[in-house]
Each structure stands twice: as structure tokens, then as C-alpha cells.
Amino acid sequence: MSDNKDNQLYAMRHSLAHIMASAIQHLWPEVKLGVGPVVENGFYYDVDLGGEQLSADDFERIEAEMAKIIKAGEAFERFEMPVLEAVDWARKYKQPYKEELLNDLQRSGTTAAKDLDAAELGLAADGDSKVEQVSFYRNGDFTDLCRGPHVEATNKVGAFKLMRVAGAYWRGKEGNPQMQRVYGVAFATPKELRQYLDMLEEAKKRDHRKLGQELDLFVMSDLVGSGLPLFTPRGTVLREELERFSNELRKGYGFEKVSIPHITKKDLYEKSGHWAKFGDELFLVKSQETSDDFVMKPMNCPHHTQIYAARPRSYRDLPIRFIDTTMVYRDEKTGELGGLNRVRSITQDDSHAFIRPDQIEQQIDDVLACANQFYETVGMKLRVRLSYRDDSDAYLGSKDLWVSAQEQLKNAVIANKLDYFEQEGEAAFYGPKIDFMATDAIGREHQVATVQLDFVMPERFGLEYTADDGSAQRPVMIHCAIMGSTERFLAVYIEHTAGRFPVWNAPEQIRLISVNQEAETVAFVDKVLQEARDLGLRVRVDNSNESVGKKIRDAEVWKVPYTVVLGEKEIGGGELVPRIRKDLVVNESAKSYTIDEFLKTVAHEAKSRVSKTSL
RNA sequence: GCCGACAUAGCUCAGUGGCUAGAGCGGCUGUUUUGUAAACAGCGGGUCGUGGGUUCGAAUCCCUCUGUCGGCUCCA
């Protein structure tokens, strides 16, 4: 898409925000308006209707009113006025939120209003610390403080649809009054809108919470608590296959598995600095024997430093690399929990490398290679975000260290030819990160893996190694996770595959269906089952008293990769014709195999983690 | 944590002040012995999320708590 087209779409969406606000004002003349910016795929406007609450039931009326305004083809006219005059305007029309914005602008210029999208403010000029003139846009009877740009007239706004209404704090601050945010999506053409809505429809079908239920992967229990998923046998197979792959990749680069307890004295986190920063999100554990305060571990790095610190280390020993795929526990706010995306028991495929400064580049190369291979295998395209610090004081360690660390990360990313972008203010408090974003099968991007450079933790724990000149040196730590969190990755992966898992991680790889329930058939099916199990395959048998058609249907519903019907023909020595799940098929023509051939091929596919079948 | 919506059988959902709360699927039993997406019949199954209130009467109206969903805020 050209820049020009982007700008045009932006103007359409922004204009729709005004049209919606205008429509709402027609229907609720007392409305107090907040801000109404353009967001991904559309726009929103924050409104305050006093005591009244908007609901989705009101969308029809609002959309109808918007349609009238659009049909009228009102021109968007821009004009300016001095800030002081604008304050009077806001007062006159009883718009306290606009008044507050204008007051901030007038008092101290753009910086005081930095927390808002600049486009929302009626700034006549950018980057000017003194604001004297502000701009307005008017269409029909509606006037709004706004920098623009807009389309020429209300009938040039493309296709839109109001989607939802939700609470939002005024200016995003928890202490401020809560307004209602009305969201709409908008595109240049009805066709593009249709495509977007279809994508949402498809996303709904793939929702991991729905598939998790249908495919019996995980459950929640009120008695266990929210945000604490329980994994069924099928879900556990899936988790463990993914974790095993992540572990194997890293072991291939010299990482070694370690194991740690899930609780610790809180002293560990006082030393690491986590207590001060995240103390209120830790689960506390009380001992009945000692006076020590314990906590559930919310991360693993401090534990791992203690394995490193337990004996003297030589420069020859480095890198020392630990992997630990283990659960951590974070007392997330209840309102933030949802499905597997945000849970309170989080499995991390965590690793920590303790290295010499001269090993940074090699080490980053290794973990980037792991991540690349993992995401190539699961069929997701990667790009990375270099997450840097900003100028705030939320970060530990000297600024010089940060600058050099950030540079080294960038070099490694460039050397690995990764598609990247840079962003300030996204770093962890102890160091800069490389965050991996993976694109799923329906085009959505998710944050997954992460690689973090850390000069702070080794300092805090006084970690050392002896250099070739006998001096004590400080190692550098690299934190790295391939999936990040198993739970969150599962949410992404279930939706990416729509529950059609490849053979290597499918909870059930083969289903054997008996044609009838005669003793001879059942015995034959059992024999094939045993052969498959001996090859390490995950197989289920359906001997039930149902028609073959029904049993095939069941296997389809469970999205089993291979279904095999066994009866008289196969018992008599005939070759079997496997039914192959259609997304796995490369070659359309059905072929027959001996039982041995078939099972060995599937076992080989599972081992080599192929995404399509070779049958 | 905040704003809003929701919670009825294992699942998906009907039922919005008045007889013993229903359906489909799943489950169980029987008949059938089946060849690549649903055989037929019968039977079980619910303290209507929890606790309280209003009422002659509550799944239905009000409040509390728990949980779920959509957002906000946060995310080592």
C-alpha cells in the first residue's frame, strides 16, 4: 500500500471518529467528549454520558445517525483560534475534558499533554513548547478540537462498522474517571471491511478457549482458581512435544538442563531487585517451622545465579548455559486474566547463559538460530523488536552499559539478517531485549520468544569468573526463551493451526476403527495398536458399536491426522488405505500400504517434525 | 484492580413473576454387525454459579461473593 493510500485511510478513520462523535451528540446532546484517535483497523471515541451507559444495542441508532451525516456530505472545515479563546469555547459547550486538554496545552505546551496521541490535540505546530494557536475541524453542526487531517467531506469515508463499547480511563490513568470507549472498524472499501470481518469470524472459530474445550486440551476449575489452567492428557502431550523441541534445540548448542524448587526465601528477590519492583505480584508462602518469608518463584534467573555462584568459575568454563522449562507464578490482577493468554501459573522455556563479554555475539547468534528453527518448523514468520530503554529512571545499571549492550544486540540481529525494528521504553528493568513477533496463519502478529542481555543481575549477585590473568571478572547473563511462555504460545499455536496439529505434536496421531465388533476384528485391531505403540506412536482405537461412517466422523471432529479402518480385507492380508486429514495431504491420489510400512512412515514423520505427510 | 455484559444438564443453547424447567449433541442400555463425515429405540442427567433479600409465588426482580467474556491499566 502506498503512503498516499495510508494517509487517505487514516483521514477516513479519523473523520469517522468525528462523525460518530457527532452522531452521539445528536442522540445524547449532553455528551462530554474525550478523545477520538485512529487505531489499528479503525477508530474510537471516548464519551461520557453522565449516568447513562451506552450498550451494543445502541449501535444501530448511532450507525443510522452516522449514515445520515455521511449522506449529507458535509464539508470538513479547518480553522484556528487562540488557546485562550478555545478554553472559552470548551467551557461554553460544557466540554470539561476538552477544557482540561486545552488548559494543559496553554499552561505548558505539548510536554504536559505528551501522554496523548499528538494528533488528538489541536496543535497548530509540532514540537513547539509554546502553543498559542489550536486548530479545529467543523462538519455540519459538529465542531471538535483536532489537528486533522480529515477527508474533504463526510461522504468520503469508506466502509465502517461499530464493534464494541468498553470502559477506558480518561487519559489512560487509573485514577481518572472512566469513560466509555466506542470502537469502530473502517476500511476504504466495503470489500476490505468484509475481508476484515471474515478474518474476525475465522479468528472466533479458532479461539483457543473454544478449541481447548472441543479438543479436550485444558480445563479451568473454580475450585482451583482463575488463571490456573489444568492440562488434560491430550493437552499435556501437545505441551510436552513443544517443550521437548525447544529443549532439544538449545541442548544442541550446549545448554544443560537444571532443576530448581518452585519457592524461595524472599531474600533472593530483595537481592535481585525484583522484590522492590514486583513485590505486590508475588504469591506469598508461609512456613510454619521458621520465621522466613517464602514466595512462589515469579521467574527463574535468581535461582540460576545461585547454581552459577556455588563454585568458582574459570574463563575456560564459560559459557555456562542452563535450561529449565518450569512454571513460575505471578499474582496477576484478576481482570487481566483470560484463556491461556494471561495466566497465573506460567511455564517458561527459560534459559540463562553466563558468558564472557567477548562471547556475547556468538551466544546471541546461537539463540537466534534456535528461535529461527523453532518458528520455521511451526510455520510462523518472525520479525524482531529491539527493545531499548528510554530516559526514565526505571532501569538499573549504568547508562554506558546499556548503550553498549543495545548496540551489540542490534549487531547480532543485523548479522542474522532478521527483519527488525527498534523501540524505546520496552526494555526489561535489567537490560535491553530482542523480542520476537510471530505472524500466525490468519495474519495476526504475536509476541513470543525473547532474548535479553543482562549486566545487572550478575552485578547484584556478585557473580565472578577468573580471567586468564588471574583477575576476578564479571560475567554477562543472557536470558532467552524460545516460546516465552508455554501457555501463551499454546494459545497462539492452537489458533495458528486451528487445532489441526501436525503429526509430531498431535495428541492423537492415528485412530484405528474396527468395521464391526466381532472377536476376530477386535483382536486384529488390538494387534495393530500394539505395533504402533511399540513404535512410540499415539494411537486410539474405536471399537464402539457405531457405524463406520459415524466413527470416521468422530475422528474428523477430533482432527486426527490419520484414520485407518480395519476389517475383513486387512485381516485377510490386504493393504490398508489411510484416511489423511486434508491439510496434511500433498498428493491427492489415495495409496495403500502394508501395516508395517504405514506405521514406520508415520513414526518417521513424527520424529522429523514434518508439516505435511509423505503418504 | 477499574467500567460494562454474562452465568440454566458434560457441551451448545431455549425458557424474562405462575402447573413437575426443556431441546439437540454427548453418556448409559437394548436392537443392529456395520467399509470412509451422524443406524434405530429406550433410559438416565439440573438445589437454574454462591449466599442473602423482595414477593402469596423467583431460573426470571434487587444486593453480595465467585467465575467467564469485552475493554482500560499492568506485564520481570
Side-chain angles (χ1 to χ4, degrees):
Chain A
M1 202 191 279
S2 69
D3 281 359
N4 211 8
K5 228 172 146 188
D6 277 346
N7 289 339
Q8 184 63 16
L9 186 57
Y10 185 95
M12 283 177 170
R13 287 172 173 163
H14 200 175
S15 301
L16 277 164
H18 279 224
I19 293 168
M20 181 173 74
S22 166
I24 292 173
Q25 196 168 53
H26 290 170
L27 298 167
W28 290 271
E30 296 301 305
V31 64
K32 310 268 184 286
L33 297 170
V35 297
V38 172
V39 291
E40 201 183 357
N41 302 314
F43 60 92
Y44 69 77
Y45 217 110
D46 283 348
V47 300
D48 178 352
L49 298 182
E52 219 182 319
Q53 291 287 346
L54 276 180
S55 80
D57 299 337
D58 297 312
F59 288 172
E60 214 171 302
R61 289 164 70 200
I62 300 172
E63 283 177 342
E65 188 62 30
M66 288 173 73
K68 275 190 218 163
I69 298 168
I70 289 167
K71 200 169 171 212
E74 299 162 358
F76 279 99
E77 299 166 52
R78 182 180 193 278
F79 61 94
E80 290 187 12
M81 68 170 85
V83 184
L84 286 173
E85 238 174 81
V87 172
D88 287 340
W89 166 86
R91 236 175 249 154
K92 182 178 163 204
Y93 290 100
K94 300 204 178 77
Q95 290 297 342
Y97 299 109
K98 299 288 182 192
E99 187 183 335
E100 187 184 324
L101 290 178
L102 287 160
N103 277 329
D104 277 1
L105 281 172
Q106 184 243 332
R107 196 164 44 240
S108 42
T110 54
T111 49
K114 198 177 152 213
D115 53 323
L116 277 177
D117 182 349
E120 272 328 291
L121 307 172
L123 302 182
D126 287 275
D128 192 347
S129 63
K130 274 195 293 178
V131 177
E132 277 152 22
Q133 290 283 112
V134 291
S135 63
F136 281 78
Y137 276 82
R138 176 165 51 215
N139 61 284
D141 59 358
F142 181 77
T143 303
D144 197 9
L145 171 68
C146 177
R147 191 176 60 168
H150 283 283
V151 293
E152 314 85 86
T154 55
N155 55 2
K156 305 257 165 86
V157 289
F160 76 99
K161 183 175 182 340
L162 300 190
M163 298 300 285
R164 60 176 65 98
V165 55
Y169 298 108
W170 166 236
R171 303 180 83 167
K173 295 235 176 62
E174 226 170 326
N176 283 344
Q178 199 149 23
M179 308 182 72
Q180 287 194 286
R181 180 165 296 177
V182 186
Y183 285 92
V185 292
F187 292 89
T189 62
K191 191 183 163 205
E192 285 166 283
L193 177 65
R194 187 70 254 157
Q195 281 169 352
Y196 177 74
L197 295 175
D198 286 348
M199 190 279 281
L200 288 186
E201 210 38 50
E202 179 61 31
K204 215 168 161 187
K205 277 188 224 153
R206 291 166 177 251
D207 190 318
H208 74 277
R209 292 168 298 205
K210 183 169 168 279
L211 288 169
Q213 151 85 289
E214 287 172 7
L215 301 179
D216 192 25
L217 300 172
F218 62 91
V219 296
M220 300 284 187
S221 157
D222 281 9
L223 289 175
V224 176
S226 67
L228 299 168
L230 311 171
F231 288 86
T232 62
R234 286 174 183 271
T236 304
V237 166
L238 183 60
R239 284 174 63 107
E240 286 188 341
E241 285 297 334
L242 291 164
E243 285 169 358
R244 188 198 311 177
F245 185 30
S246 165
N247 288 352
E248 274 177 20
L249 284 169
R250 288 173 293 162
K251 281 180 186 167
Y253 284 94
F255 283 81
E256 299 173 292
K257 198 160 194 310
V258 294
S259 213
I260 59 177
H262 288 208
I263 64 171
T264 171
K265 291 199 290 180
K266 85 176 216 203
D267 309 40
L268 184 67
Y269 301 127
E270 282 172 344
K271 187 136 190 165
S272 70
H274 289 97
W275 181 259
K277 196 159 165 79
F278 298 108
D280 56 341
E281 287 179 48
L282 301 189
F283 284 108
L284 306 177
V285 179
K286 209 169 170 59
S287 166
Q288 298 185 61
E289 292 293 329
T290 74
S291 59
D292 292 325
D293 289 325
F294 288 89
V295 296
M296 302 296 293
K297 68 179 160 86
M299 87 289 296
N300 309 305
C301 25
H303 279 91
H304 289 175
T305 65
Q306 297 311 292
I307 300 176
Y308 178 92
R311 41 170 57 230
R313 307 289 182 176
S314 151
Y315 72 98
R316 295 175 203 274
D317 298 332
L318 271 45
I320 288 174
R321 290 166 289 200
F322 300 146
I323 55 176
D324 199 356
T325 297
T326 176
M327 247 182 218
V328 298
Y329 306 87
R330 296 176 184 177
D331 196 2
E332 306 280 2
K333 293 176 184 171
T334 52
E336 294 163 350
L337 302 170
L340 292 181
N341 279 315
R342 195 73 178 269
V343 292
R344 297 199 283 188
S345 54
I346 308 154
T347 309
Q348 296 181 324
D349 57 336
D350 212 357
S351 37
H352 295 104
F354 300 86
I355 60 175
R356 306 190 303 259
D358 64 281
Q359 293 171 321
I360 290 177
E361 205 174 320
Q362 180 61 52
Q363 193 54 48
I364 298 277
D365 272 2
D366 289 356
V367 296
L368 292 182
C370 288
N372 269 329
Q373 202 180 332
F374 187 91
Y375 287 94
E376 197 184 311
T377 302
V378 297
M380 301 177 90
K381 202 169 164 259
L382 274 186
R383 71 182 180 128
V384 304
R385 175 178 69 201
L386 286 161
S387 301
Y388 300 152
R389 64 174 291 164
D390 55 27
D391 281 334
S392 79
D393 54 6
Y395 306 95
L396 301 181
S398 91
K399 204 157 179 183
D400 289 347
L401 275 176
W402 276 81
V403 170
S404 103
Q406 290 177 179
E407 209 164 296
Q408 291 179 78
L409 286 188
K410 187 172 173 179
N411 289 341
V413 163
I414 291 171
N416 276 275
K417 299 190 175 67
L418 279 160
D419 183 10
Y420 75 95
F421 66 101
E422 297 161 280
Q423 200 161 327
E424 290 190 353
E426 287 289 333
F429 71 89
Y430 48 72
K433 304 189 284 184
I434 303 175
D435 289 316
F436 290 75
M437 335 280 284
T439 304
D440 71 15
I442 57 173
R444 297 172 300 175
E445 200 171 53
H446 309 269
Q447 192 184 321
V448 284
T450 167
V451 176
Q452 308 175 357
L453 212 48
D454 183 356
F455 296 95
V456 172
M457 208 71 58
E459 183 85 33
R460 291 217 153 213
F461 285 104
L463 304 184
E464 290 181 344
Y465 65 89
T466 307
D468 54 0
D469 63 359
S471 65
Q473 298 291 326
R474 183 125 295 159
V476 177
M477 244 175 118
I478 292 178
H479 309 245
C480 160
I482 305 292
M483 288 187 280
S485 139
T486 302
E487 288 78 12
R488 183 159 46 184
F489 182 74
L490 274 175
V492 171
Y493 190 63
I494 290 167
E495 297 184 10
H496 173 60
T497 57
R500 289 185 287 266
F501 304 115
V503 173
W504 68 275
N505 62 33
E508 179 181 350
Q509 296 161 318
I510 300 172
R511 180 162 303 187
L512 301 176
I513 291 177
S514 64
V515 168
N516 57 40
Q517 294 189 297
E518 281 160 16
E520 196 190 6
T521 317
V522 171
F524 183 73
V525 170
D526 280 348
K527 182 173 150 263
V528 176
L529 170 68
Q530 197 51 53
E531 281 175 40
R533 281 190 179 149
D534 289 346
L535 287 165
L537 291 167
R538 297 182 288 268
V539 188
R540 277 175 191 239
V541 165
D542 189 349
N543 275 334
S544 63
N545 182 16
E546 295 285 353
S547 65
V548 170
K550 178 63 194 300
K551 293 199 257 192
I552 293 283
R553 188 185 138 81
D554 278 349
E556 289 278 345
V557 167
W558 284 96
K559 305 185 200 291
V560 180
Y562 299 109
T563 304
V564 176
V565 178
L566 297 173
E568 216 174 317
K569 281 186 254 171
E570 290 76 16
I571 298 171
E575 297 191 334
L576 55 82
V577 181
R579 187 184 169 97
I580 302 168
R581 203 179 62 207
K582 63 179 185 302
D583 62 290
L584 297 170
V585 174
V586 188
N587 181 356
E588 289 291 339
S589 61
K591 278 184 271 179
S592 61
Y593 302 86
T594 67
I595 291 166
D596 195 48
E597 261 172 0
F598 168 71
L599 294 178
K600 282 190 171 148
T601 305
V602 176
H604 180 261
E605 285 178 356
K607 201 176 164 216
S608 49
R609 298 195 173 98
V610 294
S611 59
K612 298 278 181 184
T613 186
S614 47
L615 289 172

